[in-house]
Amino acid sequence: MFYAIVGRDVPDSLERRLAARPAHLERLQALQQAGRLLLAGPFPAIDSNDPGAAGFSGSLIVAEFDSFAAAQAWADADPYVAAGVYADVAIQPFKKVLPA
């Protein structure tokens, strides 16, 4: 089943986010290579694809896991969590409807 993982950044997270980004992307690429990643990306803090110093307010990852517990364990091990980028992380089951 797919799960939506939404991380909400702490204020002024950009420096920590940039430092942890390579390790964060490595884990996402592993999901992609396994055919389990539906989509992933950050929420710009302003209405711009390149928010510059404004940074990001959080991230969305939609990926396939065997269970809610497996999705939770994966999210708990995210480098952004360890680096203090995320204030909190929410996980919800997700049903893909479109595109078919």
Side-chain angles (χ1 to χ4, degrees):
M1 171 166 224
F2 285 110
Y3 293 87
I5 301 170
V6 179
R8 191 173 54 93
D9 283 24
V10 298
D12 301 315
S13 63
L14 186 58
E15 189 173 312
R16 283 180 266 184
R17 179 181 269 275
L18 292 174
R21 187 171 189 262
H24 173 77
L25 290 178
E26 185 176 316
R27 295 178 79 236
L28 291 172
Q29 289 165 345
L31 283 178
Q32 183 178 19
Q33 290 169 357
R36 297 173 41 206
L37 183 65
L38 186 61
L39 64 90
F43 300 119
I46 60 173
D47 190 10
S48 173
N49 280 329
D50 182 5
F56 300 91
S57 62
S59 302
L60 169 65
I61 299 162
V62 180
E64 189 173 21
F65 294 93
D66 291 335
S67 65
F68 182 89
Q72 181 73 59
W74 189 92
D76 288 348
D78 193 299
Y80 282 177
V81 171
V85 173
Y86 292 152
D88 57 66
V89 177
I91 302 169
Q92 292 183 239
F94 179 82
K95 181 179 177 182
K96 180 180 181 260
V97 175
L98 294 171

